[in-house]
Amino acid sequence: MRHGVSGRLVVAWASTASADERLARLAEAVTGAVSGNARIVRACRACGSDRHGKPYVVGLDGPIHVNLSRSGGIAVLAVCDAGPVGIDVEALHPGGTPDVATWVRKECVVKATGHGLTIDPDLVEVTPPGSAPALVAWPETEPLDSPVWMYDVECPAGYVAAAAVLSNAAPELLMTPASPEG
């Protein structure tokens, strides 16, 4: 049950080649900035590297959270003004199993927390495909600071995606009309 809506989770699709640039522009659009100064940087929670890890947007006023995922030549972008966000997309393979939907649900949560795959996905339990997305169990050694709100994301044919936001109240999911080619 959702205890009210707080903020927005804006999701868009892009080509993998333009993903960081499109994510920066989407963050500007969500915040109302028109400067073109926003850029995406990364910070690895485990090693501190700026070559990989959770993406952040710099060059904007106010708190805004971003994340992205790439698969099969497309990228899904997420911008949230309610709290840390994680998003994951995977290409479906012919004869594949529904486990890929479970995987994207798990991965979006570990991305939202900033842990990434430093948390064993087997320790993260989510609801199964066909049911409303939700976090069921999380490792007790890594307490969460707020509730986790999960969403299945509308995808181009042949893909499955999910998003998670850490926030005291559920943000509204807004899909942009952007296409993967953009």
Side-chain angles (χ1 to χ4, degrees):
M1 174 166 54
R2 300 205 173 177
H3 295 79
V5 174
S6 173
R8 299 168 291 170
L9 166 57
V10 180
V11 175
W13 294 92
S15 70
T16 57
S18 67
D20 279 10
E21 180 64 22
R22 290 283 307 278
L23 184 58
R25 301 297 72 83
L26 184 60
E28 287 181 333
V30 169
T31 61
V34 291
S35 66
N37 292 332
R39 62 188 176 85
I40 302 300
V41 298
R42 287 175 174 68
C44 176
R45 178 183 182 123
C47 72
S49 172
D50 63 358
R51 294 176 160 234
H52 60 268
K54 187 170 176 73
Y56 295 89
V57 65
V58 295
L60 293 177
D61 292 331
I64 193 79
H65 305 272
V66 298
N67 204 250
L68 63 91
S69 180
R70 297 175 174 95
S71 181
I74 66 168
V76 63
L77 317 174
V79 176
C80 188
D81 59 7
V85 62
I87 196 157
D88 190 48
V89 63
E90 297 292 336
L92 296 171
H93 300 289
T97 67
D99 290 346
V100 72
T102 301
W103 175 260
V104 297
R105 288 179 175 186
K106 287 183 178 195
E107 189 163 352
C108 72
V109 174
V110 298
K111 289 174 78 174
T113 66
H115 288 93
L117 295 178
T118 62
I119 297 259
D120 181 351
D122 289 339
L123 300 177
V124 178
E125 186 180 344
V126 295
T127 52
S131 60
L135 180 64
V136 175
W138 178 258
E140 291 179 16
T141 57
E142 298 292 337
L144 296 172
D145 295 333
S146 65
V148 175
W149 303 96
M150 294 180 68
Y151 305 83
D152 286 331
V153 174
E154 187 177 321
C155 297
Y159 293 88
V160 63
V165 176
L166 306 177
S167 177
N168 288 327
E172 178 182 10
L173 174 62
L174 303 169
M175 296 294 300
T176 67
S179 69
E181 294 79 35

